[in-house]
């Protein structure tokens, strides 16, 4: 039974692969049309050269066999270059087809207010910005939006590929939802944040299909360089008949075209679009949506990485582990006050305080007519104001001291206890009632496994890591040392991230950061690379230039590697392509003039059989090297952490020296094969 299933699966994979190849070859031929080929100036020249050799052969300016062979080889060269781009695009379209399925035939229950229990059933395409929709368990979310009421577990497998459900809740940094995902439990009210046709899925589809792919600055610059080189060689080749006329040498247009094609950077010209598309696809494979190819490449150039401690370096589920009352305060008094401050605290930390107190036998009734004070990043305090006028607060030590109008110098015990907790990497929360300090709550968090090795890897790449945390300096220092980050910012407010980014940028650094909340949006927008979490708010996702579908803050480390791999791949293949031209020069040039100028024979270092075999061998190599390099262009050159000097040395030795030597060997081998055939 299993065998038959495997056989069917193998047959399906074979059929899919065959269809994939057929689609790629079909698109390769379509790209021969003028409106497509003109987008790649280098290959446009090769295609024009193909037509010139065909016309010249028909007009009898060369032997029929030789002329047709040159024409065929040139045609195959253009076709292979088109095929490289078509394969990269086809991979993207394959990813897009599954995304399209996620948004088909979506309907929505539009409501007028949060209290509207009925609503009107409409097509998802009719939804507008700010519309309210109700989604119940078992239904698909019809549009991108923010949950404004309720919470639910959601299956995002259609978008992220991850089958494990995720929790999304109103009023948190995990309130964002994507159209096409499925609500598994409960009922939520969502406010639409994207117009029809401009949803997250729509943008993903456009990006992966390549229809909305913007060329990166590096790609544009390289394209301009290749165009300038091509124009230069055109001028050189066009001038050769004039030189030949003075030397009484007549040069065939077919030979001139062959020389031009071998001298211009056809290899990198043919592979350049595929490299760009493949970079976007690699990012998507890592479940990261880059809003442009520029973002992928900039990620490869960053040298400062700004990371939140919670959820990035640590697991982020800090739990209360102990209560430490100060002298004169009973444990029960401290627990009572800690629970009161946490009753309305929705955070995991707040809930853990209540849970720990209950474990230790504390029972606290929720007070009536109390005013709850929610935690915010600016004050770093939460608590409540009781009806009898008492104020109970918990928070960071400096914030509580300010609240209680106390001076640290007068509280040596508190200072010692806070330092003791902080020194082991835990977070101390000080509790106060009115002007009286009661004690400290210990919150413990765990550093993620393998994070230290990742930071060491980044350091090898020359990237500085900065941890941002609201913790006090002692806790921050302990965690920074354990995690292996280069620097840290303690007691940080949201605006501190922005200040840090601007400071580093003013020093000439490129900065990347991760964020998910609305308060992260300014910093995400300011950073050179802003990686927003898919689970985060719409503001964060709009501000960032990348979105991580897995909502994994450590994903930025992978993004950096993808960016560097993109840059290295383009640099390596460019070096290889230009090095190839040196070898092809020694094959073609002697073949043009050796008959009229015997002294040119000294340049025939490869000792090729004849002028015709030399030209054909060089052209054949020029054609076949493109498909041979397609796997490298799509997969990318393997990346190893190293300095720029090491990368340059490796690039020149492997792709520079290799790019010169390989054509000599290959062209000679091809010449040995075809010379006997041409002699017939």
């Amino acid at each position: 039974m299993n065998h038959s299933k495997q056989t069917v699966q193998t047959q399906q994979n074979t059929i899919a692969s065959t269809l994939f190849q057929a689609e790629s070859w079909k698109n390769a031929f379509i790209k021969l049309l003028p409106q497509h080929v003109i987008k790649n100036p280098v290959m446009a020249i090769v295609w024009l050269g193909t037509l010139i050799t065909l016309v010249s052969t028909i007009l009898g300016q060369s032997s029929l066999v030789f002329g047709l062979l040159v024409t065929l080889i040139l045609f195959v060269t253009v076709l292979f270059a088109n095929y490289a781009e078509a394969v990269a695009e086809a991979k993207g379209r394959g990813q897009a087809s599954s995304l399209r399925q996620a948004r088909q035939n979506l309907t929505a229950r539009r409501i007028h207010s949060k209290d509207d229990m009925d609503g009107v059933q409409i097509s998802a395409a009719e939804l507008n910005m700010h519309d309210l929709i109700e989604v119940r368990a078992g239904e698909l979310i019809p549009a991108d939006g923010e949950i404004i009421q309720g919470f639910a577990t959601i299956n995002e497998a259609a978008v992220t590929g991850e089958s494990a459900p995720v929790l999304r809740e109103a009023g948190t940094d995990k309130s964002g939802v994507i159209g096409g995902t499925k609500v598994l439990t409960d009922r939520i009210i969502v406010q639409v944040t994207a117009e029809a046709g401009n949803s997250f899925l729509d943008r993903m589809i456009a990006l992966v299909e390549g229809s909305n792919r913007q060329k990166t600055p590096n790609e544009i610059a390289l394209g301009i360089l290749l165009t300038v080189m091509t124009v230069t060689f055109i001028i050189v080749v066009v001038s050769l008949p004039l030189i030949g006329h003075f030397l009484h040498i007549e040069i065939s247009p077919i030979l001139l075209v062959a020389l031009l094609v071998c001298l211009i950077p056809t290899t990198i010209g043919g592979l350049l679009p595929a490299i760009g598309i493949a970079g976007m696809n690699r990012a998507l494979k890592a479940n990261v949506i880059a809003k442009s190819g520029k973002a992928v490449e900039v990620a490869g150039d960053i040298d400062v990485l700004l990371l939140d401690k919670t959820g990035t370096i640590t697991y982020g589920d800090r739990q209360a582990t102990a209560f430490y009352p100060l002298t004169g305060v009973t444990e029960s008094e401290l627990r009572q006050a800690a629970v009161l401050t946490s009753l309305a605290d929705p955070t995991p930390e707040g809930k853990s305080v209540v849970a720990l107190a209950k474990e230790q036998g504390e029972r606290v009734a929720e007070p009536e007519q109390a005013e709850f004070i929610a935690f915010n990043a600016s004050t770093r305090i939460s608590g409540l104001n009781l009806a009898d006028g008492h104020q109970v607060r918990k928070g960071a030590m400096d914030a509580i001291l300010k609240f209680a109008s106390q001076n640290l110098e007068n509280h040596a015990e508190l200072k010692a206890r806070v330092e003791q907790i902080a020194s082991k990497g835990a977070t101390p929360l000080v509790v106060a009632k009115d002007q009286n300090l009661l004690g400290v709550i210990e919150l413990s968090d765990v550093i993620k496994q393998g994070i230290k090795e990742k930071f060491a890897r980044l350091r090898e790449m020359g990237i500085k890591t900065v941890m941002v945390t609201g913790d006090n300096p002692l806790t921050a220092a302990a965690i920074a040392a354990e995690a292996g980050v280069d620097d840290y910012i303690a007691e940080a407010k949201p605006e501190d991230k922005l200040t840090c980014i601007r400071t580093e940028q003013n020093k000439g650094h490129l900065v990347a950061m991760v964020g998910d909340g609305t308060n992260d949006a300014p910093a995400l927008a300011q950073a050179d690379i802003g990686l927003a979490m898919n689970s985060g708010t719409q503001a964060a996702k709009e501000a960032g230039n990348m979105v991580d579908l897995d909502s994994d803050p450590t994903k930025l480390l992978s993004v950096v590697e993808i960016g560097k791999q993109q840059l290295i791949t383009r640099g390596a293949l460019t070096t290889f392509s230009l090095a190839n031209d040196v070898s092809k020069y020694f094959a073609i040039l002697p073949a043009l003039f050796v008959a009229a100028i015997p002294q040119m024979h000294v340049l025939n270092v490869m000792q090729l059989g004849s002028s015709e075999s030399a030209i054909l061998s060089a052209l054949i190599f020029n054609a076949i090297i493109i498909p041979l390099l397609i796997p490298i262009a799509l997969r990318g050159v393997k990346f190893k952490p190293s300095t720029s000097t090491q990368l340059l040395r490796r690039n020149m030795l492997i792709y520079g020296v290799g790019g010169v030597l390989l054509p000599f060997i290959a062209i000679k081998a091809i010449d040995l094969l075809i010379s006997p055939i041409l002699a017939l």
Side-chain angles (χ1 to χ4, degrees):
M1 189 72 177
N2 287 335
H3 179 71
S4 63
K5 283 182 179 178
Q6 287 175 354
T7 304
V8 170
Q9 185 64 46
T10 304
Q11 289 173 343
Q12 289 175 342
N13 291 340
T14 305
I15 293 167
S17 178
T18 305
L19 291 172
F20 176 82
Q21 294 294 337
E23 184 194 6
S24 299
W25 281 116
K26 177 188 171 186
N27 288 327
F29 279 97
I30 292 172
K31 290 179 183 293
L32 293 172
L33 296 172
Q35 65 266 34
H36 295 296
V37 79
I38 197 67
K39 294 176 183 177
N40 190 335
V42 176
M43 300 319 298
I45 294 298
V46 180
W47 183 221
L48 180 63
T50 307
L51 300 176
I52 291 171
T53 58
L54 180 61
V55 172
S56 298
T57 303
I58 294 170
L59 295 175
Q61 295 182 349
S62 171
S63 70
L64 184 64
V65 174
F66 178 73
L68 289 176
L69 280 172
V70 172
T71 303
L72 178 63
I73 295 167
L74 293 180
F75 176 75
V76 169
T77 303
V78 180
L79 200 61
F80 280 156
N82 290 347
Y83 176 72
E85 185 176 0
V87 167
E89 289 176 345
K91 284 181 178 288
R93 276 191 290 272
Q95 292 170 314
S97 63
S98 62
L99 294 173
R100 278 202 181 88
Q101 291 173 3
R103 67 169 190 182
Q104 285 178 351
N105 305 320
L106 290 177
T107 59
R109 188 181 297 106
R110 185 164 61 191
I111 56 177
H112 297 294
S113 67
K114 293 181 182 180
D115 302 321
D116 184 0
M117 298 300 291
D118 298 321
V120 181
Q121 204 75 22
I122 60 170
S123 168
E126 297 176 39
L127 289 171
N128 298 310
M129 287 275 283
H130 310 303
D131 279 354
L132 297 182
I133 51 177
E134 180 196 31
V135 192
R136 299 170 185 171
E139 296 177 345
L140 294 174
I141 298 171
D144 296 357
E146 296 257 5
I147 301 175
I148 60 170
Q149 184 174 302
F151 61 89
T153 51
I154 295 172
N155 184 345
E156 296 182 342
V159 177
T160 67
E162 177 56 58
S163 58
V166 293
L167 182 66
R168 298 287 180 261
E169 186 175 358
T172 69
D173 286 342
K174 298 189 183 295
S175 61
V177 291
I178 301 173
T181 55
K182 189 174 184 178
V183 175
L184 301 178
T185 63
D186 303 290
R187 167 186 175 271
I188 54 174
I189 293 175
V190 177
Q191 185 173 43
V192 178
T193 56
E195 296 280 1
N198 194 36
S199 69
F200 195 69
L201 276 177
D202 289 314
R203 284 184 287 175
M204 279 179 67
I205 291 165
L207 284 166
V208 300
E209 284 187 325
S211 58
N212 199 28
R213 189 181 79 88
Q214 296 177 330
K215 290 185 177 180
T216 68
N218 284 339
E219 191 176 346
I220 293 169
L222 182 56
I224 292 169
L225 174 64
L226 298 182
T227 303
V228 169
M229 289 177 68
T230 302
V231 171
T232 304
F233 282 123
I234 288 172
I235 295 169
V236 170
V237 170
V238 168
S239 67
L240 285 179
L242 298 173
I243 298 169
H245 177 72
F246 287 109
L247 298 172
H248 306 289
I249 303 169
E250 188 175 342
I251 305 174
S252 163
I254 294 177
L255 295 180
L256 290 173
V257 169
L259 175 65
L260 178 63
V261 169
C262 286
L263 290 182
I264 63 175
T266 50
T267 306
I268 187 62
L271 294 173
L272 194 58
I275 295 169
I277 296 168
M280 297 283 285
N281 289 345
R282 278 196 295 276
L284 187 64
K285 196 173 179 181
N287 261 358
V288 173
I289 298 297
K291 294 183 180 179
S292 70
K294 179 184 177 182
V296 177
E297 286 198 1
V298 172
D301 283 331
I302 68 149
D303 46 12
V304 176
L305 188 55
L306 212 64
L307 303 118
D308 276 326
K309 184 205 75 175
T310 308
T312 306
I313 294 171
T314 65
Y315 284 104
D317 54 351
R318 292 188 301 183
Q319 303 288 305
T321 49
F323 296 105
Y324 297 104
L326 296 177
T327 302
V329 180
T330 66
E331 284 198 25
S332 180
E333 282 178 304
L334 175 59
R335 288 196 296 260
Q336 287 265 344
V339 171
L340 284 173
T341 63
S342 305
L343 286 172
D345 188 347
T347 64
E349 292 93 333
K351 292 175 182 176
S352 75
V353 170
V354 177
L356 181 64
K358 286 182 177 178
E359 281 178 23
Q360 296 182 359
E362 208 64 51
R363 295 288 179 268
V364 180
E366 188 169 332
E368 295 181 2
Q369 298 180 336
E371 179 193 0
F372 290 102
I373 309 298
F375 175 86
N376 71 66
S378 297
T379 62
R380 293 180 296 132
I381 283 180
S382 64
L384 80 171
N385 298 330
L386 297 171
D388 58 9
H390 288 296
Q391 296 179 320
V392 190
R393 298 286 189 275
K394 75 169 187 294
M397 181 176 66
D398 59 324
I400 292 294
L401 286 170
K402 187 178 178 182
F403 163 77
S405 303
Q406 301 273 358
N407 197 315
L408 186 60
E409 276 69 32
N410 301 328
H411 295 278
E413 185 189 359
L414 175 68
K415 185 181 179 183
R417 179 64 71 183
V418 166
E419 288 179 355
Q420 179 196 352
I421 294 170
S423 64
K424 57 183 183 181
T427 301
L429 288 182
V430 180
V431 181
K433 186 174 183 179
D434 300 323
Q435 309 300 303
N436 302 315
L437 302 178
L438 302 180
V440 186
I441 307 169
E442 180 183 278
L443 296 178
S444 298
D445 199 355
V446 181
I447 290 176
K448 288 185 177 180
Q449 211 169 8
I451 199 79
K452 192 166 187 173
E453 289 74 16
K454 287 183 177 179
F455 289 142
R457 189 175 173 89
L458 285 169
R459 197 172 295 108
E460 288 176 25
M461 300 179 204
I463 297 171
K464 175 186 174 185
T465 50
V466 181
M467 181 185 78
V468 182
T469 176
D471 290 337
N472 66 69
L474 270 173
T475 303
I479 293 173
E482 190 178 346
V485 295
D486 298 313
D487 200 0
Y488 63 89
I489 300 171
E491 298 177 344
K493 299 180 181 70
E495 58 268 24
D496 294 336
K497 293 180 186 177
L498 196 59
T499 304
C500 178
I501 291 169
R502 284 173 175 165
T503 303
E504 293 293 343
Q505 287 174 331
N506 290 335
K507 294 177 184 175
H509 298 299
L510 290 175
V511 184
M513 84 155 279
V514 178
D516 58 2
T518 301
N519 63 348
D520 290 327
L524 286 168
Q526 180 67 36
D528 299 283
I529 289 294
L531 180 64
M533 300 294 99
N534 177 40
S535 61
T537 62
Q538 191 65 25
K541 286 193 278 190
E542 289 296 330
N545 42 23
M546 286 185 172
V547 178
D548 177 27
L549 300 178
D550 296 328
S551 300
D552 176 10
T554 61
K555 187 66 70 64
L556 192 55
L557 310 184
S558 301
V559 170
V560 170
E561 292 195 358
I562 290 168
K564 285 194 176 293
Q565 188 181 34
Q566 175 83 339
L567 294 169
I568 291 167
T569 301
R570 184 178 294 123
L573 293 183
T574 301
T575 303
F576 185 82
S577 175
L578 298 179
N580 279 187
D581 294 340
V582 176
S583 306
K584 289 179 287 188
Y585 172 86
F586 283 101
I588 292 280
L589 203 63
L592 289 177
F593 297 106
V594 73
I597 309 173
Q599 292 86 347
M600 291 287 288
H601 187 73
V602 74
L603 292 177
N604 186 16
V605 293
M606 286 182 266
Q607 297 296 304
L608 302 177
S610 66
S611 297
E612 288 80 7
S613 73
I615 290 164
L616 288 174
S617 298
L619 289 175
I620 290 170
F621 172 80
N622 197 57
I624 64 174
I625 197 66
I626 293 176
L628 290 176
L629 291 175
I630 288 175
I632 297 176
L634 297 181
R635 188 179 62 251
V637 175
K638 191 174 180 181
F639 169 71
K640 291 180 181 176
S642 46
T643 64
S644 53
T645 306
Q646 290 170 328
L647 282 173
L648 181 61
R649 190 184 299 120
R650 179 167 166 259
N651 188 38
M652 294 306 297
L653 283 173
I654 297 175
Y655 296 96
V657 177
V660 172
L661 295 178
L662 178 63
F664 274 101
I665 299 166
I667 290 171
K668 180 61 180 178
I670 296 167
D671 176 73
L672 291 172
L673 288 173
I674 67 172
S675 288
I677 300 170
L678 293 175
L680 295 175

